[in-house]
Amino acid sequence: SRRAVSKINAMQDDERPLFVCVCGDLVDTESSFSRALASWKKVMAGWERNLIFEQQVKDFKRIWSGLDPDIALVCLCGNHDVGNRPTAQSIKHWTNSFGDDYFAFWANGTYNINLNNCLFSDPSGAPDLFQEQLIWLEEKLAYAKANDATHIFVYGHFPWFLKHENEGDDEITTFSKAPDGWGPKGSSFPDSYFTIPREERQMAMMLFQRYGVTACFSGHFHQNVVAKSSWGMPMIVTGPLSMTLKSELSEELSGGEPNGCGMRVVDVGEKGQFTHEFVLLDGKEYA
């Protein structure tokens, strides 16, 4: 994060961003993972995890407060913030420190919708909050279209899909390898773990197609993905500032982008047009 802040602050003239979006996992104390590898999350009492949470929040804010004041910071929640099965309590715990878990704003004619799509990943812990956000999402999409937004960008933590919007929950059968030294030897994650289930995904895809969403951006997969829906909407997944994974499908999914710690720079053009590039922080790729 320190290197990212420094690199962003050094951007000048046309390269200088209006805002920076961190697509979730600002902290790492959520203990509700069904297969959490971090054993301390399992054995520590809730008050102990809360103390660690508070310190991690302070660390995050201290580092990112170094971002130059003319660049806005947009923060989304991820599953390490609110859990794989978010609840009203886990979301409130996060919003008390970081503000609303979903919101929208204008920037130079673009309309930017920021979601808590952890609720789309598993709405069972807070079905009322899921429905509330879904209704809000359509209202904001309709508002953006009615007001002739030059672009409608949607940001969330979870990728909506990795290959195509109709992929089944059992279609992705590959795994992503964790770096050596992280977790037990040979640790890996099923790639299917990282996407929104098809049923909830289709609710969003229907709205995105109806209202002409320009592109979706996310994190969570710890590696880059450049995919498109059947009607041409890009699903752009950006690698992390921390631990990098590598899928067995990495070459197919990444669109030729390097795999490593970095950030994505988006250059917005005329109506509906934009370009984007993943920039490594230190020039090192994860092999």
Side-chain angles (χ1 to χ4, degrees):
S1 291
R2 294 183 185 92
R3 284 181 289 161
V5 170
S6 177
K7 200 174 188 75
I8 294 165
N9 285 342
M11 293 179 173
Q12 298 297 325
D13 302 324
D14 291 344
E15 291 185 347
R16 196 163 180 82
L18 294 177
F19 64 90
V20 173
C21 183
V22 182
C23 286
D25 289 354
L26 281 57
V27 298
D28 182 24
T29 54
E30 175 53 47
S31 64
S32 66
F33 296 100
S34 58
R35 291 173 290 179
L37 295 176
S39 59
W40 64 267
K41 294 180 185 178
K42 300 177 182 178
V43 301
M44 279 189 171
W47 68 267
E48 294 174 300
R49 289 195 303 274
N50 285 340
L51 284 177
I52 296 173
F53 171 86
E54 291 169 5
Q55 185 58 55
Q56 290 182 351
V57 169
K58 290 178 182 178
D59 290 343
F60 180 91
K61 291 183 177 181
R62 173 175 51 82
I63 292 169
W64 282 95
S65 67
L67 194 66
D68 286 346
D70 62 312
I71 303 173
L73 179 64
V74 177
C75 296
L76 307 186
C77 61
N79 60 316
H80 286 258
D81 302 304
V82 298
N84 280 353
R85 181 177 177 268
T87 63
Q89 181 179 2
S90 71
I91 293 171
K92 188 174 188 299
H93 191 214
W94 189 84
T95 58
N96 284 343
S97 294
F98 292 105
D100 292 341
D101 58 321
Y102 60 94
F103 52 93
F105 62 90
W106 289 94
N108 277 6
T110 70
Y111 198 62
N112 300 272
I113 297 176
N114 305 269
L115 297 177
N116 173 2
N117 76 349
C118 301
L119 280 170
F120 283 80
S121 177
D122 184 352
S124 65
D128 53 336
L129 296 182
F130 169 72
Q131 287 297 329
E132 181 181 293
Q133 184 178 199
L134 187 62
I135 293 170
W136 174 91
L137 173 59
E138 181 162 21
E139 290 174 349
K140 292 303 179 184
L141 288 168
Y143 165 78
K145 186 174 183 179
N147 285 276
D148 198 27
T150 59
H151 306 70
I152 303 175
F153 294 124
V154 175
Y155 308 83
H157 181 62
F158 281 78
W160 297 100
F161 57 88
L162 294 180
K163 289 186 173 182
H164 59 87
E165 80 274 11
N166 292 315
E167 63 195 24
D169 298 337
D170 58 353
E171 182 176 331
I172 306 293
T173 58
T174 50
F175 287 78
S176 284
K177 177 187 175 184
D180 292 338
W182 190 92
K185 185 175 178 60
S187 292
S188 63
F189 302 89
D191 290 342
S192 58
Y193 160 77
F194 291 99
T195 59
I196 300 294
R198 184 174 181 176
E199 180 178 350
E200 286 75 21
R201 182 196 318 143
Q202 292 302 316
M203 297 179 191
M205 292 299 106
M206 178 184 67
L207 296 177
F208 295 167
Q209 183 176 17
R210 178 184 301 166
Y211 294 103
V213 168
T214 309
C216 292
F217 295 91
S218 78
H220 187 53
F221 195 38
H222 290 254
Q223 55 200 296
N224 294 319
V225 175
V226 181
K228 279 190 177 182
S229 69
S230 59
W231 63 91
M233 181 196 74
M235 173 70 254
I236 301 166
V237 185
T238 300
L241 292 175
S242 56
M243 185 188 78
T244 306
L245 301 178
K246 187 170 184 178
S247 169
E248 296 166 357
L249 287 174
S250 61
E251 291 185 6
E252 175 186 344
L253 297 175
S254 69
E257 292 188 326
N259 189 27
C261 294
M263 59 187 184
R264 188 170 302 279
V265 178
V266 180
D267 186 8
V268 179
E270 298 298 322
K271 187 174 179 66
Q273 303 299 311
F274 73 100
T275 59
H276 60 93
E277 179 186 9
F278 181 76
V279 179
L280 291 167
L281 286 184
D282 53 14
K284 295 179 181 178
E285 288 194 53
Y286 170 52

PDB file of all heavy atoms in Angstrom, residues 134-159:
ATOM      1  N   LEU A 134     -30.293  -4.457  -3.989  1.00  0.00           N
ATOM      2  CA  LEU A 134     -30.689  -4.796  -5.349  1.00  0.00           C
ATOM      3  C   LEU A 134     -31.663  -3.759  -5.904  1.00  0.00           C
ATOM      4  O   LEU A 134     -31.538  -3.319  -7.058  1.00  0.00           O
ATOM      5  CB  LEU A 134     -31.312  -6.193  -5.379  1.00  0.00           C
ATOM      6  CG  LEU A 134     -31.627  -6.789  -6.745  1.00  0.00           C
ATOM      7  CD1 LEU A 134     -30.348  -6.963  -7.574  1.00  0.00           C
ATOM      8  CD2 LEU A 134     -32.343  -8.132  -6.590  1.00  0.00           C
ATOM      9  N   ILE A 135     -32.619  -3.343  -5.087  1.00  0.00           N
ATOM     10  CA  ILE A 135     -33.579  -2.312  -5.494  1.00  0.00           C
ATOM     11  C   ILE A 135     -32.849  -0.996  -5.738  1.00  0.00           C
ATOM     12  O   ILE A 135     -33.079  -0.303  -6.736  1.00  0.00           O
ATOM     13  CB  ILE A 135     -34.680  -2.145  -4.432  1.00  0.00           C
ATOM     14  CG1 ILE A 135     -35.548  -3.415  -4.372  1.00  0.00           C
ATOM     15  CG2 ILE A 135     -35.534  -0.911  -4.721  1.00  0.00           C
ATOM     16  CD1 ILE A 135     -36.502  -3.453  -3.190  1.00  0.00           C
ATOM     17  N   TRP A 136     -31.957  -0.661  -4.818  1.00  0.00           N
ATOM     18  CA  TRP A 136     -31.158   0.570  -4.950  1.00  0.00           C
ATOM     19  C   TRP A 136     -30.330   0.541  -6.229  1.00  0.00           C
ATOM     20  O   TRP A 136     -30.225   1.565  -6.930  1.00  0.00           O
ATOM     21  CB  TRP A 136     -30.255   0.701  -3.723  1.00  0.00           C
ATOM     22  CG  TRP A 136     -29.277   1.834  -3.757  1.00  0.00           C
ATOM     23  CD1 TRP A 136     -29.464   3.094  -3.282  1.00  0.00           C
ATOM     24  CD2 TRP A 136     -27.935   1.807  -4.283  1.00  0.00           C
ATOM     25  NE1 TRP A 136     -28.337   3.859  -3.478  1.00  0.00           N
ATOM     26  CE2 TRP A 136     -27.381   3.094  -4.087  1.00  0.00           C
ATOM     27  CE3 TRP A 136     -27.152   0.827  -4.887  1.00  0.00           C
ATOM     28  CZ2 TRP A 136     -26.082   3.425  -4.483  1.00  0.00           C
ATOM     29  CZ3 TRP A 136     -25.864   1.151  -5.291  1.00  0.00           C
ATOM     30  CH2 TRP A 136     -25.337   2.428  -5.084  1.00  0.00           C
ATOM     31  N   LEU A 137     -29.737  -0.615  -6.546  1.00  0.00           N
ATOM     32  CA  LEU A 137     -28.907  -0.747  -7.741  1.00  0.00           C
ATOM     33  C   LEU A 137     -29.694  -0.411  -8.996  1.00  0.00           C
ATOM     34  O   LEU A 137     -29.224   0.367  -9.840  1.00  0.00           O
ATOM     35  CB  LEU A 137     -28.338  -2.167  -7.827  1.00  0.00           C
ATOM     36  CG  LEU A 137     -27.586  -2.522  -9.117  1.00  0.00           C
ATOM     37  CD1 LEU A 137     -26.397  -1.599  -9.336  1.00  0.00           C
ATOM     38  CD2 LEU A 137     -27.138  -3.988  -9.077  1.00  0.00           C
ATOM     39  N   GLU A 138     -30.896  -0.952  -9.139  1.00  0.00           N
ATOM     40  CA  GLU A 138     -31.672  -0.638 -10.338  1.00  0.00           C
ATOM     41  C   GLU A 138     -32.054   0.836 -10.373  1.00  0.00           C
ATOM     42  O   GLU A 138     -32.035   1.461 -11.444  1.00  0.00           O
ATOM     43  CB  GLU A 138     -32.921  -1.504 -10.432  1.00  0.00           C
ATOM     44  CG  GLU A 138     -33.722  -1.193 -11.688  1.00  0.00           C
ATOM     45  CD  GLU A 138     -34.721  -2.248 -12.095  1.00  0.00           C
ATOM     46  OE1 GLU A 138     -35.106  -3.052 -11.223  1.00  0.00           O
ATOM     47  OE2 GLU A 138     -35.111  -2.259 -13.283  1.00  0.00           O
ATOM     48  N   GLU A 139     -32.378   1.409  -9.225  1.00  0.00           N
ATOM     49  CA  GLU A 139     -32.717   2.830  -9.193  1.00  0.00           C
ATOM     50  C   GLU A 139     -31.543   3.683  -9.676  1.00  0.00           C
ATOM     51  O   GLU A 139     -31.725   4.636 -10.446  1.00  0.00           O
ATOM     52  CB  GLU A 139     -33.109   3.233  -7.771  1.00  0.00           C
ATOM     53  CG  GLU A 139     -34.448   2.664  -7.314  1.00  0.00           C
ATOM     54  CD  GLU A 139     -34.734   2.972  -5.855  1.00  0.00           C
ATOM     55  OE1 GLU A 139     -33.799   3.440  -5.148  1.00  0.00           O
ATOM     56  OE2 GLU A 139     -35.872   2.758  -5.403  1.00  0.00           O
ATOM     57  N   LYS A 140     -30.336   3.343  -9.238  1.00  0.00           N
ATOM     58  CA  LYS A 140     -29.162   4.123  -9.624  1.00  0.00           C
ATOM     59  C   LYS A 140     -28.804   3.918 -11.094  1.00  0.00           C
ATOM     60  O   LYS A 140     -28.376   4.864 -11.774  1.00  0.00           O
ATOM     61  CB  LYS A 140     -27.971   3.754  -8.730  1.00  0.00           C
ATOM     62  CG  LYS A 140     -28.155   4.192  -7.284  1.00  0.00           C
ATOM     63  CD  LYS A 140     -28.406   5.689  -7.181  1.00  0.00           C
ATOM     64  CE  LYS A 140     -28.616   6.149  -5.766  1.00  0.00           C
ATOM     65  NZ  LYS A 140     -28.950   7.599  -5.674  1.00  0.00           N
ATOM     66  N   LEU A 141     -28.955   2.707 -11.598  1.00  0.00           N
ATOM     67  CA  LEU A 141     -28.700   2.451 -13.012  1.00  0.00           C
ATOM     68  C   LEU A 141     -29.685   3.222 -13.886  1.00  0.00           C
ATOM     69  O   LEU A 141     -29.298   3.824 -14.902  1.00  0.00           O
ATOM     70  CB  LEU A 141     -28.787   0.957 -13.296  1.00  0.00           C
ATOM     71  CG  LEU A 141     -27.641   0.095 -12.766  1.00  0.00           C
ATOM     72  CD1 LEU A 141     -27.995  -1.385 -12.865  1.00  0.00           C
ATOM     73  CD2 LEU A 141     -26.345   0.376 -13.523  1.00  0.00           C
ATOM     74  N   ALA A 142     -30.947   3.218 -13.493  1.00  0.00           N
ATOM     75  CA  ALA A 142     -31.961   3.955 -14.246  1.00  0.00           C
ATOM     76  C   ALA A 142     -31.676   5.453 -14.207  1.00  0.00           C
ATOM     77  O   ALA A 142     -31.809   6.159 -15.219  1.00  0.00           O
ATOM     78  CB  ALA A 142     -33.345   3.661 -13.673  1.00  0.00           C
ATOM     79  N   TYR A 143     -31.254   5.935 -13.047  1.00  0.00           N
ATOM     80  CA  TYR A 143     -30.908   7.353 -12.887  1.00  0.00           C
ATOM     81  C   TYR A 143     -29.736   7.727 -13.789  1.00  0.00           C
ATOM     82  O   TYR A 143     -29.764   8.773 -14.462  1.00  0.00           O
ATOM     83  CB  TYR A 143     -30.564   7.603 -11.420  1.00  0.00           C
ATOM     84  CG  TYR A 143     -29.858   8.904 -11.148  1.00  0.00           C
ATOM     85  CD1 TYR A 143     -30.552  10.110 -11.107  1.00  0.00           C
ATOM     86  CD2 TYR A 143     -28.490   8.929 -10.914  1.00  0.00           C
ATOM     87  CE1 TYR A 143     -29.893  11.314 -10.845  1.00  0.00           C
ATOM     88  CE2 TYR A 143     -27.821  10.122 -10.653  1.00  0.00           C
ATOM     89  CZ  TYR A 143     -28.527  11.305 -10.625  1.00  0.00           C
ATOM     90  OH  TYR A 143     -27.879  12.489 -10.368  1.00  0.00           O
ATOM     91  N   ALA A 144     -28.697   6.889 -13.826  1.00  0.00           N
ATOM     92  CA  ALA A 144     -27.526   7.174 -14.655  1.00  0.00           C
ATOM     93  C   ALA A 144     -27.892   7.216 -16.129  1.00  0.00           C
ATOM     94  O   ALA A 144     -27.456   8.108 -16.868  1.00  0.00           O
ATOM     95  CB  ALA A 144     -26.443   6.119 -14.409  1.00  0.00           C
ATOM     96  N   LYS A 145     -28.715   6.271 -16.563  1.00  0.00           N
ATOM     97  CA  LYS A 145     -29.120   6.236 -17.968  1.00  0.00           C
ATOM     98  C   LYS A 145     -29.993   7.428 -18.314  1.00  0.00           C
ATOM     99  O   LYS A 145     -29.825   8.056 -19.380  1.00  0.00           O
ATOM    100  CB  LYS A 145     -29.846   4.930 -18.267  1.00  0.00           C
ATOM    101  CG  LYS A 145     -30.174   4.732 -19.734  1.00  0.00           C
ATOM    102  CD  LYS A 145     -30.756   3.347 -20.002  1.00  0.00           C
ATOM    103  CE  LYS A 145     -31.011   3.136 -21.485  1.00  0.00           C
ATOM    104  NZ  LYS A 145     -31.551   1.768 -21.756  1.00  0.00           N
ATOM    105  N   ALA A 146     -30.930   7.766 -17.426  1.00  0.00           N
ATOM    106  CA  ALA A 146     -31.836   8.885 -17.682  1.00  0.00           C
ATOM    107  C   ALA A 146     -31.085  10.212 -17.746  1.00  0.00           C
ATOM    108  O   ALA A 146     -31.509  11.140 -18.444  1.00  0.00           O
ATOM    109  CB  ALA A 146     -32.909   8.947 -16.597  1.00  0.00           C
ATOM    110  N   ASN A 147     -29.964  10.288 -17.022  1.00  0.00           N
ATOM    111  CA  ASN A 147     -29.185  11.521 -16.998  1.00  0.00           C
ATOM    112  C   ASN A 147     -27.998  11.480 -17.952  1.00  0.00           C
ATOM    113  O   ASN A 147     -27.092  12.308 -17.853  1.00  0.00           O
ATOM    114  CB  ASN A 147     -28.724  11.813 -15.568  1.00  0.00           C
ATOM    115  CG  ASN A 147     -29.849  12.326 -14.696  1.00  0.00           C
ATOM    116  OD1 ASN A 147     -30.151  13.512 -14.685  1.00  0.00           O
ATOM    117  ND2 ASN A 147     -30.494  11.412 -13.973  1.00  0.00           N
ATOM    118  N   ASP A 148     -28.039  10.517 -18.885  1.00  0.00           N
ATOM    119  CA  ASP A 148     -27.080  10.442 -19.992  1.00  0.00           C
ATOM    120  C   ASP A 148     -25.625  10.417 -19.524  1.00  0.00           C
ATOM    121  O   ASP A 148     -24.776  11.161 -20.023  1.00  0.00           O
ATOM    122  CB  ASP A 148     -27.292  11.627 -20.941  1.00  0.00           C
ATOM    123  CG  ASP A 148     -26.658  11.375 -22.316  1.00  0.00           C
ATOM    124  OD1 ASP A 148     -26.546  10.197 -22.692  1.00  0.00           O
ATOM    125  OD2 ASP A 148     -26.271  12.354 -22.982  1.00  0.00           O
ATOM    126  N   ALA A 149     -25.343   9.531 -18.556  1.00  0.00           N
ATOM    127  CA  ALA A 149     -23.955   9.350 -18.120  1.00  0.00           C
ATOM    128  C   ALA A 149     -23.099   8.913 -19.301  1.00  0.00           C
ATOM    129  O   ALA A 149     -23.518   8.084 -20.119  1.00  0.00           O
ATOM    130  CB  ALA A 149     -23.889   8.298 -17.012  1.00  0.00           C
ATOM    131  N   THR A 150     -21.907   9.484 -19.413  1.00  0.00           N
ATOM    132  CA  THR A 150     -21.031   9.094 -20.525  1.00  0.00           C
ATOM    133  C   THR A 150     -20.562   7.653 -20.373  1.00  0.00           C
ATOM    134  O   THR A 150     -20.310   6.963 -21.362  1.00  0.00           O
ATOM    135  CB  THR A 150     -19.800  10.015 -20.593  1.00  0.00           C
ATOM    136  OG1 THR A 150     -19.070   9.927 -19.351  1.00  0.00           O
ATOM    137  CG2 THR A 150     -20.210  11.450 -20.842  1.00  0.00           C
ATOM    138  N   HIS A 151     -20.413   7.206 -19.131  1.00  0.00           N
ATOM    139  CA  HIS A 151     -20.021   5.830 -18.808  1.00  0.00           C
ATOM    140  C   HIS A 151     -20.723   5.444 -17.509  1.00  0.00           C
ATOM    141  O   HIS A 151     -20.944   6.296 -16.641  1.00  0.00           O
ATOM    142  CB  HIS A 151     -18.515   5.700 -18.568  1.00  0.00           C
ATOM    143  CG  HIS A 151     -17.645   6.230 -19.677  1.00  0.00           C
ATOM    144  ND1 HIS A 151     -17.532   7.592 -19.938  1.00  0.00           N
ATOM    145  CD2 HIS A 151     -16.834   5.599 -20.565  1.00  0.00           C
ATOM    146  CE1 HIS A 151     -16.703   7.769 -20.959  1.00  0.00           C
ATOM    147  NE2 HIS A 151     -16.264   6.585 -21.355  1.00  0.00           N
ATOM    148  N   ILE A 152     -21.055   4.179 -17.376  1.00  0.00           N
ATOM    149  CA  ILE A 152     -21.537   3.648 -16.103  1.00  0.00           C
ATOM    150  C   ILE A 152     -20.565   2.549 -15.694  1.00  0.00           C
ATOM    151  O   ILE A 152     -20.482   1.498 -16.342  1.00  0.00           O
ATOM    152  CB  ILE A 152     -22.964   3.083 -16.200  1.00  0.00           C
ATOM    153  CG1 ILE A 152     -23.943   4.148 -16.716  1.00  0.00           C
ATOM    154  CG2 ILE A 152     -23.415   2.565 -14.835  1.00  0.00           C
ATOM    155  CD1 ILE A 152     -25.351   3.617 -16.955  1.00  0.00           C
ATOM    156  N   PHE A 153     -19.806   2.805 -14.639  1.00  0.00           N
ATOM    157  CA  PHE A 153     -18.857   1.829 -14.128  1.00  0.00           C
ATOM    158  C   PHE A 153     -19.397   1.239 -12.825  1.00  0.00           C
ATOM    159  O   PHE A 153     -19.911   1.968 -11.973  1.00  0.00           O
ATOM    160  CB  PHE A 153     -17.494   2.471 -13.870  1.00  0.00           C
ATOM    161  CG  PHE A 153     -16.791   2.950 -15.112  1.00  0.00           C
ATOM    162  CD1 PHE A 153     -16.380   4.267 -15.232  1.00  0.00           C
ATOM    163  CD2 PHE A 153     -16.532   2.079 -16.161  1.00  0.00           C
ATOM    164  CE1 PHE A 153     -15.715   4.718 -16.370  1.00  0.00           C
ATOM    165  CE2 PHE A 153     -15.877   2.512 -17.306  1.00  0.00           C
ATOM    166  CZ  PHE A 153     -15.461   3.826 -17.415  1.00  0.00           C
ATOM    167  N   VAL A 154     -19.248  -0.068 -12.679  1.00  0.00           N
ATOM    168  CA  VAL A 154     -19.691  -0.758 -11.458  1.00  0.00           C
ATOM    169  C   VAL A 154     -18.476  -1.414 -10.806  1.00  0.00           C
ATOM    170  O   VAL A 154     -17.730  -2.141 -11.459  1.00  0.00           O
ATOM    171  CB  VAL A 154     -20.768  -1.818 -11.769  1.00  0.00           C
ATOM    172  CG1 VAL A 154     -21.119  -2.600 -10.502  1.00  0.00           C
ATOM    173  CG2 VAL A 154     -22.015  -1.159 -12.343  1.00  0.00           C
ATOM    174  N   TYR A 155     -18.301  -1.151  -9.523  1.00  0.00           N
ATOM    175  CA  TYR A 155     -17.175  -1.686  -8.764  1.00  0.00           C
ATOM    176  C   TYR A 155     -17.694  -2.604  -7.662  1.00  0.00           C
ATOM    177  O   TYR A 155     -18.720  -2.321  -7.030  1.00  0.00           O
ATOM    178  CB  TYR A 155     -16.368  -0.553  -8.116  1.00  0.00           C
ATOM    179  CG  TYR A 155     -15.940   0.537  -9.067  1.00  0.00           C
ATOM    180  CD1 TYR A 155     -16.819   1.575  -9.403  1.00  0.00           C
ATOM    181  CD2 TYR A 155     -14.676   0.547  -9.632  1.00  0.00           C
ATOM    182  CE1 TYR A 155     -16.442   2.584 -10.277  1.00  0.00           C
ATOM    183  CE2 TYR A 155     -14.283   1.559 -10.514  1.00  0.00           C
ATOM    184  CZ  TYR A 155     -15.171   2.561 -10.824  1.00  0.00           C
ATOM    185  OH  TYR A 155     -14.803   3.558 -11.697  1.00  0.00           O
ATOM    186  N   GLY A 156     -16.985  -3.700  -7.415  1.00  0.00           N
ATOM    187  CA  GLY A 156     -17.330  -4.611  -6.331  1.00  0.00           C
ATOM    188  C   GLY A 156     -16.118  -5.443  -5.974  1.00  0.00           C
ATOM    189  O   GLY A 156     -15.095  -5.416  -6.672  1.00  0.00           O
ATOM    190  N   HIS A 157     -16.217  -6.195  -4.916  1.00  0.00           N
ATOM    191  CA  HIS A 157     -15.080  -7.030  -4.505  1.00  0.00           C
ATOM    192  C   HIS A 157     -15.000  -8.307  -5.338  1.00  0.00           C
ATOM    193  O   HIS A 157     -13.961  -8.629  -5.916  1.00  0.00           O
ATOM    194  CB  HIS A 157     -15.191  -7.375  -3.024  1.00  0.00           C
ATOM    195  CG  HIS A 157     -14.051  -8.208  -2.529  1.00  0.00           C
ATOM    196  ND1 HIS A 157     -12.740  -7.762  -2.549  1.00  0.00           N
ATOM    197  CD2 HIS A 157     -13.996  -9.468  -2.019  1.00  0.00           C
ATOM    198  CE1 HIS A 157     -11.939  -8.699  -2.064  1.00  0.00           C
ATOM    199  NE2 HIS A 157     -12.677  -9.753  -1.735  1.00  0.00           N
ATOM    200  N   PHE A 158     -16.094  -9.037  -5.412  1.00  0.00           N
ATOM    201  CA  PHE A 158     -16.115 -10.316  -6.125  1.00  0.00           C
ATOM    202  C   PHE A 158     -16.235 -10.114  -7.632  1.00  0.00           C
ATOM    203  O   PHE A 158     -17.051  -9.301  -8.086  1.00  0.00           O
ATOM    204  CB  PHE A 158     -17.313 -11.159  -5.675  1.00  0.00           C
ATOM    205  CG  PHE A 158     -17.147 -11.860  -4.366  1.00  0.00           C
ATOM    206  CD1 PHE A 158     -17.281 -11.181  -3.169  1.00  0.00           C
ATOM    207  CD2 PHE A 158     -16.867 -13.221  -4.317  1.00  0.00           C
ATOM    208  CE1 PHE A 158     -17.139 -11.820  -1.952  1.00  0.00           C
ATOM    209  CE2 PHE A 158     -16.728 -13.885  -3.112  1.00  0.00           C
ATOM    210  CZ  PHE A 158     -16.855 -13.185  -1.923  1.00  0.00           C
ATOM    211  N   PRO A 159     -15.473 -10.852  -8.434  1.00  0.00           N
ATOM    212  CA  PRO A 159     -15.757 -10.877  -9.880  1.00  0.00           C
ATOM    213  C   PRO A 159     -17.142 -11.483 -10.102  1.00  0.00           C
ATOM    214  O   PRO A 159     -17.514 -12.461  -9.442  1.00  0.00           O
ATOM    215  CB  PRO A 159     -14.660 -11.798 -10.444  1.00  0.00           C
ATOM    216  CG  PRO A 159     -13.616 -11.885  -9.383  1.00  0.00           C
ATOM    217  CD  PRO A 159     -14.335 -11.719  -8.077  1.00  0.00           C
TER     218      PRO A 159
END
